[in-house]
Amino acid sequence: MPSTGVDGPNSKMVCDMDDHGIHGEMKNDAQKVAAAAVEAHQEEKDVSKHIKTFFDQKYGPTWHCIVGGDFRAFVTHESKHFIFFYIGKTAICLYKS
């Protein structure tokens, strides 16, 4: 599904979070926190840790975050708790299990 405000290969976002209620807030937080993390950190592992820590603290454990320029992922996640998107050329996969 196309997204707005997210740059990257094909400006692509895959998300099962609703656009309203708490899931809409999670979706917005994911994009905002990821943008701040990419700006603040040079290394992908630090970007990932920044995002995961925020989500674990705000939405409870256990969140997982994969960050990189090129990766593939196949994950099992809770319903309405998965998002994959780009910030520039950096891909971000965030999900709760």
Side-chain angles (χ1 to χ4, degrees), residues 30-93:
Q31 293 173 325
K32 289 177 185 175
V33 171
V38 167
E39 183 75 24
H41 303 286
Q42 295 293 319
E43 294 195 33
E44 293 164 344
K45 68 180 179 73
D46 296 327
V47 173
S48 181
K49 182 178 180 181
H50 182 117
I51 298 166
K52 179 200 173 12
T53 300
F54 176 89
F55 270 75
D56 278 346
Q57 289 174 351
K58 183 166 182 179
Y59 297 108
T62 301
W63 287 87
H64 305 276
C65 186
I66 304 166
V67 176
D70 184 30
F71 65 87
R72 310 295 181 267
F74 185 85
V75 301
T76 301
H77 59 86
E78 288 186 22
S79 179
K80 307 292 184 194
H81 291 80
F82 176 90
I83 188 168
F84 174 89
F85 59 100
Y86 286 89
I87 299 292
K89 293 183 181 180
T90 303
I92 296 157
C93 180

